[in-house]
Amino acid sequence: MTNPVYILNGPNLNLLGHREPAVYGRDTLDDIKGLATARAVSLGLAIDFRQTNDEGELIGWIQEARTAAAAIIVNAAGLTHTSVALLDALQASELPIVEVHLSNIFRRDSFRQHSYVSLAATGVICGLGAKGYELALEAVRAILDKKSAA
Ligand code: DQA
């Protein structure tokens, strides 16, 4: 049995659907989890989908992923732009990492245009709303296939 792909969501993403819908859309995190679950099944991947408002908990999950996950898809939300500790945990994981943002962070405030997560990410998807999570799973499938063929 292959390890699941951890899909980790950071602070305030539990409010999706209600929080600034003009920026983040009307999908709730549960809607996104449903989309991701269906896409994962069609790609032959298992997922473990989680959200936390706590930086330490997110780092704990990334440490757990080192041995328990096949890859990490992460939307670290506001921590993206602030957390060196999160970057350190991601780098230590030695896993394929796809960074996702619902909004296009490069069209927004200048402080959102720097991402610590990107320094550890294999690739980044932003600005495509909930679809970004499905695209991230497709990318993970391709990365894992390439890895197992090597
Ligand atoms: C976000 C973008 C971040 O800048 C912001 O702090 C979030 C959500 C996104 O998905 O677009 O909380 O990660």
Side-chain angles (χ1 to χ4, degrees):
M1 182 71 192
T2 49
N3 285 341
V5 178
Y6 276 25
I7 305 183
L8 304 180
N9 296 281
N12 302 305
L13 293 174
N14 55 313
L15 300 178
L16 285 178
H18 311 282
R19 173 192 180 203
E20 299 182 81
V23 177
Y24 297 116
R26 297 233 169 247
D27 288 318
T28 65
L29 198 62
D30 258 0
D31 294 335
I32 293 174
K33 183 179 176 181
L35 286 172
T37 303
R39 194 73 194 101
V41 168
S42 74
L43 291 165
L45 294 169
I47 62 169
D48 192 329
F49 192 100
R50 305 181 191 180
Q51 187 274 333
T52 181
N53 290 324
D54 186 299
E55 181 175 6
E57 186 166 39
L58 187 57
I59 289 168
W61 289 344
I62 292 164
Q63 290 187 5
E64 174 191 313
R66 289 181 76 227
T67 51
I72 299 172
I73 294 172
V74 60
N75 182 349
L79 295 172
T80 303
H81 317 296
T82 62
S83 181
V84 175
L86 188 66
L87 167 63
D88 288 344
L90 288 166
Q91 280 174 334
S93 78
E94 295 178 9
L95 290 168
I97 295 164
V98 180
E99 176 182 1
V100 173
H101 300 283
L102 295 153
S103 64
N104 180 351
I105 56 174
F106 300 102
R107 288 184 69 173
R108 302 187 60 198
D109 326 72
S110 59
F111 65 84
R112 294 184 202 277
Q113 292 172 24
H114 176 265
S115 164
Y116 285 103
V117 173
S118 294
L119 295 170
T122 314
V124 183
I125 296 168
C126 77
L128 300 174
K131 182 80 191 164
Y133 286 77
E134 294 182 83
L135 295 171
L137 281 162
E138 287 178 33
V140 164
R141 176 78 272 169
I143 293 163
L144 295 178
D145 286 348
K146 201 169 162 189
K147 241 174 123 178
S148 63

